Amino acid sequence: MASFHLIVVAPSRSMLEFDALSISVPGAAGHIGVRAHREPLLVSLKVGLVHIRQADGSETWFGVTGGFLEMIDNEATLLADQLIRPEESAIASHLEGKPLTFPQEFASEVQKSDLASALLHRRLQQRDHQ
């Protein structure tokens, strides 16, 4: 399978670069997956999980609170409002045992961050139990 160049950028973070086979993002209109040689694309993101399948077959997960994904000439750039790495994920006490959803258009940045972190934490726990 062909790969593409992926750059992940977020405020106060080092830029990350990947040779990726695919990326799946939480688009504002629903989840979208992108592979190499896709037509140009610009997608706005909502709170959720980003899944990257790297060229070496490994997988990387991040939580995001919003942003954009752009794909042009076999290079994708993910501009995240906030990027949550796996080692930073946790479930905030006020979300413990609750469904991880809320009307995002009314959510504060703290609520979005807590939700993205909790979603990532749960996903990583599920992966570890498989």
Side-chain angles (χ1 to χ4, degrees):
M1 185 183 298
S3 65
F4 60 96
H5 188 234
L6 171 63
I7 299 169
V8 178
V9 182
S12 304
R13 295 280 186 178
S14 297
M15 182 176 77
L16 303 170
E17 294 189 63
F18 300 91
D19 283 327
L21 297 175
S22 66
I23 182 171
S24 174
V25 298
H31 280 81
I32 185 166
V34 176
R35 291 190 177 175
H37 306 294
R38 173 132 187 8
E39 293 294 320
L41 172 75
L42 179 62
V43 176
S44 81
L45 305 179
K46 64 180 183 177
V47 174
L49 300 178
V50 172
H51 177 228
I52 301 166
R53 186 169 308 263
Q54 297 180 49
D56 66 5
S58 63
E59 296 181 339
T60 302
W61 291 86
F62 295 108
V64 293
T65 60
F68 294 91
L69 174 71
E70 173 187 67
M71 177 84 161
I72 297 175
D73 294 331
N74 217 37
E75 180 170 283
T77 304
L78 181 121
L79 304 168
D81 292 344
Q82 182 178 5
L83 185 72
I84 299 162
R85 295 178 186 228
E87 62 272 14
E88 301 166 336
S89 69
I91 298 179
S93 59
H94 66 89
L95 292 175
E96 198 64 57
K98 296 180 182 172
L100 297 180
T101 60
F102 56 83
Q104 295 181 31
E105 62 273 10
F106 301 114
S108 72
E109 290 306 310
V110 171
Q111 290 170 317
K112 289 179 183 179
S113 179
D114 286 349
L115 176 60
S117 181
L119 288 168
L120 179 59
H121 189 78
R122 277 207 185 149
R123 176 64 186 110
L124 295 173
Q125 284 181 324
Q126 290 171 349
R127 180 193 67 191
D128 291 345
H129 286 86
Q130 292 178 346

